[in-house]
């Protein structure tokens, strides 16, 4: 039987942003293993801020498996962290997401490629040309000489792993990029975003490049990085209606601080009311309004207030598990007609 290399990855206990950790399990399987076939595993939580030294075992419970086409007979296994008694660890935000196959999320991950303390392509002193031509830009002046190779390779790696990328683009600031991942099921896209982040960080090692997920790494007239969260429940897509939408927005307004608390650190530096954002302390929504907290797509109104909504407040360093969990918690407070 062939030996498979299973890279078990999980989120550690660092605050405010968890790091991805990973270690390799070698195990024989007849064929590429299914999720049911890969075993629980463990790690030393005292080295990841997830346990005290005297009782440091944490359990890794596989929740999704992806082929790793960079190696022969290899997979990436995404895990939840559990206590030895099987209960979810406090750092396990995934376990707090309501399970629902009919809830869909689409995340837009913006980020900077980063080298020697600067966005990739910034001169060592001073600044490059101001923003304008970088967004969806082409040519050495706009994207440099290795960024495109990295983002294209990342896309191929993700597609080979079965991650549902919907697209990529160069963003407004120099060195800034975006990819979008969509998934049906309340945890699917969030799992895939974490694996995509893992694959990008690992790919960039070879280039001596970092992935900068801070939401405002260059102060001044340079765009910050968002992590727009597009979401829809079955009820929003199939029943919806103006009354339900307005009740939903009232709930989002009521819980705006609870949302901001899990939408990524340092968001006050990004949500300023400038650069296509709403201020951090305000909540509003608007049709096709990119300066709103929640953007309502034209299609939503045209379909009788049915479809998906875009929460534009989450930032690039946000944890998709915490974001999805909070959104569904707020949605759950709004009564549906006969449901
Ligand atoms: P923009 O940059 O204009 O905000 P993008 O095309 O980058 O738009 O992102 C739109 C996102 O909306 C995609 O991630 C897509 O998967 C997501 N989306 C589309 N339809 C739905 C839906 N019904 N439910 C949840 N997300 C959706
Ligand atoms: Mn986008
Ligand atoms: Mn964008
Ligand atoms: Mn968007």
């Amino acid at each position: 039987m062939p030996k498979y290399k299973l890279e078990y990855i999980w989120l550690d206990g660092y605050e405010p942003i968890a790091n991805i950790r990973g270690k390799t399990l070698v195990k024989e399987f007849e064929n590429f293993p299914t999720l049911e076939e890969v075993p629980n595993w463990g790690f030393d939580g005292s080295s990841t801020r997830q346990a005290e030294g005297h009782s440091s075992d944490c359990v890794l419970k596989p929740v999704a498996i992806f082929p790793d086409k960079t190696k022969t007979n290899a997979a990436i296994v995404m895990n939840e962290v559990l206590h030895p008694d099987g209960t979810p660890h406090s750092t396990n935000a995934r376990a707090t997401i309501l399970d629902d196959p009919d809830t869909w999320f689409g995340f837009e991950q913006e980020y900077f490629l980063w080298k020697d303390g600067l966005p990739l392509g910034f001169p060592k002193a001073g600044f490059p040309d101001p923003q304008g031509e970088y967004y969806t830009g082409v040519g050495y002046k706009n994207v440099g000489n290795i960024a495109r190779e990295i983002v294209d390779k990342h896309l191929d790696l993700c597609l080979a792993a079965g991650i549902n990328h919907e697209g990529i683009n160069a963003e407004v600031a120099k060195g800034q990029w975006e990819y979008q991942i969509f998934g049906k099921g309340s945890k699917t896209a969030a799992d895939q975003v974490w694996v995509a982040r893992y694959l990008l960080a690992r790919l960039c090692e070879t280039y001596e490049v970092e992935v900068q997920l801070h939401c405002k790494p260059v102060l001044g007239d340079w765009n910050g990085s968002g992590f727009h969260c597009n979401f829809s429940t079955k009820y929003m897509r199939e029943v919806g209606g103006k009354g339900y939408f307005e009740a939903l927005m009232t709930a989002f307004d009521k819980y705006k601080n609870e949302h901001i608390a899990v939408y990524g650190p340092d968001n006050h530096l990004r949500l300023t009311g400038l650069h296509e954002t709403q201020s951090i302390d305000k909540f509003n929504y608007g049709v096709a309004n990119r300066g709103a907290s929640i953007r309502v797509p034209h299609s939503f109104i045209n379909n009788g207030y049915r479809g998906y909504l875009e929460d534009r407040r989450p930032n690039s360093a946000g944890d998709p598990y915490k974001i999805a969990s909070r959104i569904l918690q707020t949605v759950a407070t709004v009564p549906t007609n006969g449901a």
Side-chain angles (χ1 to χ4, degrees):
M1 280 203 287
K3 287 193 196 307
Y4 278 79
K5 291 157 279 187
L6 307 176
E7 188 69 12
Y8 276 54
I9 66 170
W10 72 96
L11 301 180
D12 71 13
Y14 279 61
E15 295 276 357
I17 306 171
N19 301 289
I20 304 170
R21 304 285 181 131
K23 61 175 188 160
T24 311
L25 177 67
V26 179
K27 200 173 161 54
E28 291 184 350
F29 293 96
E30 203 75 68
N31 300 110
F32 187 84
T34 62
L35 183 60
E36 290 67 36
E37 287 170 333
V38 294
N40 284 7
W41 202 18
F43 67 98
D44 169 15
S46 71
S47 300
T48 60
R49 298 192 182 163
Q50 281 161 310
E52 302 293 330
H54 54 268
S55 165
S56 64
D57 281 2
C58 291
V59 175
L60 292 173
K61 180 191 154 212
V63 293
I65 184 164
F66 303 86
D68 184 348
K69 293 292 169 67
T70 63
K71 307 170 189 172
T72 50
N73 296 337
I76 297 159
V77 179
M78 184 69 200
N79 290 272
E80 283 190 18
V81 176
L82 308 180
H83 293 295
D85 68 2
T87 56
H89 193 273
S90 60
T91 59
N92 179 354
R94 187 182 188 277
T96 70
I97 303 173
L98 292 174
D99 248 315
D100 179 11
D102 294 320
T103 290
W104 303 350
F105 283 103
F107 292 100
E108 303 168 53
Q109 174 75 68
E110 295 180 341
Y111 63 96
F112 280 83
L113 292 172
W114 200 255
K115 190 162 173 96
D116 303 327
L118 292 169
L120 190 61
F122 266 47
K124 289 221 178 337
F127 289 92
D129 288 349
Q131 294 185 159
E133 294 180 27
Y134 304 125
Y135 171 74
T136 59
V138 184
Y140 175 70
K141 181 165 84 72
N142 289 326
V143 296
N145 59 346
I146 58 169
R148 194 181 300 282
E149 184 175 317
I150 293 172
V151 300
D152 283 346
K153 274 194 185 167
H154 178 239
L155 178 58
D156 277 341
L157 286 179
C158 288
L159 292 176
I163 292 173
N164 192 35
H165 268 242
E166 293 208 311
I168 60 175
N169 60 273
E171 266 301 336
V172 173
K174 188 163 197 183
Q176 191 186 33
W177 295 82
E178 169 176 317
Y179 56 85
Q180 303 104 32
I181 292 179
F182 172 77
K184 296 183 176 180
S186 51
K187 305 183 182 186
T188 309
D191 286 337
Q192 294 191 1
V193 165
W194 275 117
V195 176
R197 286 180 179 178
Y198 167 78
L199 285 170
L200 183 58
R202 200 180 68 177
L203 172 67
C204 285
E205 292 168 359
T206 327
Y207 294 89
E208 299 181 36
V209 166
E210 287 289 323
V211 183
Q212 174 61 269
L213 288 182
H214 192 275
C215 69
K216 191 74 179 180
V218 193
L219 295 175
D221 211 7
W222 295 92
N223 273 36
S225 297
F227 186 47
H228 299 165
C229 178
N230 303 272
F231 64 96
S232 66
T233 60
K234 188 170 200 255
Y235 191 87
M236 286 168 65
R237 292 190 303 272
E238 294 181 4
V239 184
K242 193 164 189 240
Y244 178 72
F245 167 73
E246 283 170 355
L248 200 57
M249 291 302 95
T250 301
F252 270 77
D253 193 0
K254 178 174 174 194
Y255 294 112
K256 60 176 175 291
N257 296 335
E258 289 81 355
H259 280 256
I260 290 294
V262 295
Y263 279 3
D266 299 331
N267 226 353
H268 59 286
L269 299 174
R270 166 179 166 260
L271 298 180
T272 56
L274 303 172
H275 301 110
E276 302 182 3
T277 66
Q278 172 58 285
S279 310
I280 192 162
D281 54 351
K282 297 209 180 81
F283 175 84
N284 71 340
Y285 62 87
V287 179
N289 180 358
R290 288 166 189 276
S293 314
I294 288 195
R295 178 173 67 96
V296 184
H298 281 300
S299 61
F300 188 90
I301 307 294
N302 296 340
N303 276 329
Y305 291 81
R306 280 190 286 268
Y308 74 96
L309 297 169
E310 177 189 41
D311 195 332
R312 301 176 58 81
R313 296 168 296 170
N315 79 38
S316 44
D319 176 348
Y321 292 143
K322 292 184 183 167
I323 296 164
S325 177
R326 182 62 242 183
I327 286 177
L328 294 184
Q329 206 181 320
T330 298
V331 169
T333 65
V334 182
T336 52
N337 230 342

